[in-house]
Amino acid sequence: MLLIDGSLSMSARVGTRHAWIGPASWPARSFLSSGAGDTFNLCRIGNAVSPVIIRRPAHDREDVLREIDRLPQLDDAGDLSASLRQVQDLLSEALPIK
Amino acid sequence: MIELFIISDFQATQWSLETPAEESQLRQLLQGFETRAAMFLVDASGPPPTNLSLKSFQVPEQVALTGRPFHAEVTLVNHTSEDQTREIENPGRPVVRFSQPVTVAAGAEQKITATLKLPEAGSEVLLEARIASDSIATDNQIQRVVAGRKHLEVLLVDGRPAPKLAESASGFVKLTLAPAMSAGTPLAADSSPFIPTICTSGNWRRPI
């Protein structure tokens, strides 16, 4: 499950480094190394009505990467509490830990 | 096994909530995540960014008159822990170009007043304040629209019209607004920005 901060400060550029997930420049792509049967959910911290981008667990890593590349960098402050509550709901829907 | 990755720059303004109750709620949420998943906080912040932002741009007069100075108030905010100096400017079109160096103390706000001038009249004028680019580019320019006019037309409704200035209810108001015009001088010689028109309360579509 990925929760990515899309608030304004994530657009900060220091030198050539950019916190936001520019295409092919996002170091956190490495977290998406997956094994057989792994699934992904994707959420964004922002002011959108629903911060959940991928609610139904996705199996294809490339689909998730494409979705991350399409996330727009917005100029809002980000509603952290609402985003975390959505993550809580997603975790509740996920299979229990064995 | 569920893994939760939270990728953020963890800015204090976002992650430090306003009240202790909210802080406690946030802590509880995060602790709740840990019971359901392995949680990883990924810091995407890097070195601290240099950011000075333009917070507001006000034009108190609301109407810009051709050839006359008017004021624009710009508020800057320094989001860094060091004093910052920037050149604040407007690009020079359609108003006469303005540029001024400004030093804003660390973490402080500063308001500056710029005196601008509009060389040509237009219906609406787009004004822009701009500072040099820094780590966050989105807040380095701000725009406002003001009405641009050559003159302001003023309608005076006179309840006691009279040919003599002293006997007319509107006479001295007109004299104050446009002295040369009131004295019968051609409009071009009048330095007043106002063009007063007098009518009666019974027929205010037909000027006197």
Side-chain angles (χ1 to χ4, degrees), chain B residues 20-203:
Chain B
E22 287 175 329
E23 291 269 4
S24 164
Q25 201 177 11
L26 173 64
R27 203 169 295 116
Q28 278 176 6
L29 266 174
L30 293 173
Q31 284 167 352
F33 293 168
E34 281 188 320
T35 63
R36 303 276 308 166
M39 184 167 62
F40 302 90
L41 302 179
V42 183
D43 182 3
S45 61
T50 304
N51 185 31
L52 202 74
S53 67
L54 294 173
K55 184 183 177 187
S56 70
F57 185 6
Q58 308 286 337
V59 181
E61 281 99 332
Q62 296 184 347
V63 175
L65 292 167
T66 314
R68 292 172 185 274
F70 64 98
H71 299 101
E73 295 170 356
V74 185
T75 305
L76 298 96
V77 184
N78 181 356
H79 300 277
T80 71
S81 54
E82 293 174 355
D83 294 2
Q84 299 283 333
T85 301
R86 292 282 191 288
E87 193 83 16
I88 181 165
E89 61 168 6
N90 73 61
R93 288 176 64 87
V95 293
V96 176
R97 189 174 181 279
F98 168 85
S99 178
Q100 179 182 322
V102 185
T103 300
V104 187
E109 271 190 28
Q110 188 166 324
K111 186 187 281 187
I112 66 148
T113 301
T115 303
L116 305 174
K117 200 180 255 191
L118 184 68
E120 292 171 13
S123 54
E124 272 78 35
V125 180
L126 180 68
L127 303 175
E128 181 176 305
R130 190 186 290 175
I131 52 175
S133 187
D134 54 27
S135 294
I136 296 182
T138 347
D139 52 19
N140 292 335
Q141 62 277 324
I142 190 166
Q143 296 178 328
R144 284 288 172 274
V145 174
V146 295
R149 301 281 185 272
K150 196 172 179 184
H151 292 96
L152 281 180
E153 296 191 21
V154 181
L155 182 65
L156 300 175
V157 182
D158 194 333
R160 198 187 62 212
K164 288 187 178 176
L165 183 138
E167 292 168 2
S168 156
S170 63
F172 287 109
V173 180
K174 184 182 177 187
L175 182 63
T176 307
L177 290 174
M181 189 182 173
S182 301
T185 313
L187 186 62
D190 200 332
S191 61
S192 169
F194 302 109
I195 302 180
T197 303
I198 301 173
C199 66
T200 62
S201 55
N203 191 357

Side-chain angles (χ1 to χ4, degrees), chain A residues 27-97:
Chain A
R29 284 169 177 275
S30 57
F31 301 128
L32 285 181
S33 58
S34 61
D38 282 356
T39 59
F40 303 95
N41 294 96
L42 178 61
C43 304
R44 175 185 179 278
I45 299 174
N47 279 339
V49 175
S50 172
V52 181
I53 311 296
I54 302 177
R55 177 176 293 278
R56 199 171 157 188
H59 291 269
D60 190 336
R61 177 179 180 274
E62 293 307 313
D63 281 351
V64 180
L65 286 174
R66 261 193 301 277
E67 210 59 54
I68 289 172
D69 280 342
R70 284 165 52 191
L71 284 179
Q73 168 62 60
L74 302 177
D75 295 341
D76 57 32
D79 188 341
L80 178 65
S81 300
S83 306
L84 292 180
R85 278 196 295 275
Q86 285 289 333
V87 169
Q88 187 182 35
D89 291 347
L90 283 176
L91 283 173
S92 305
E93 292 166 14
L95 290 172
I97 301 168

Side-chain angles (χ1 to χ4, degrees), chain B residues 8 16 74:
Chain B
S8 172
S16 300
V74 185

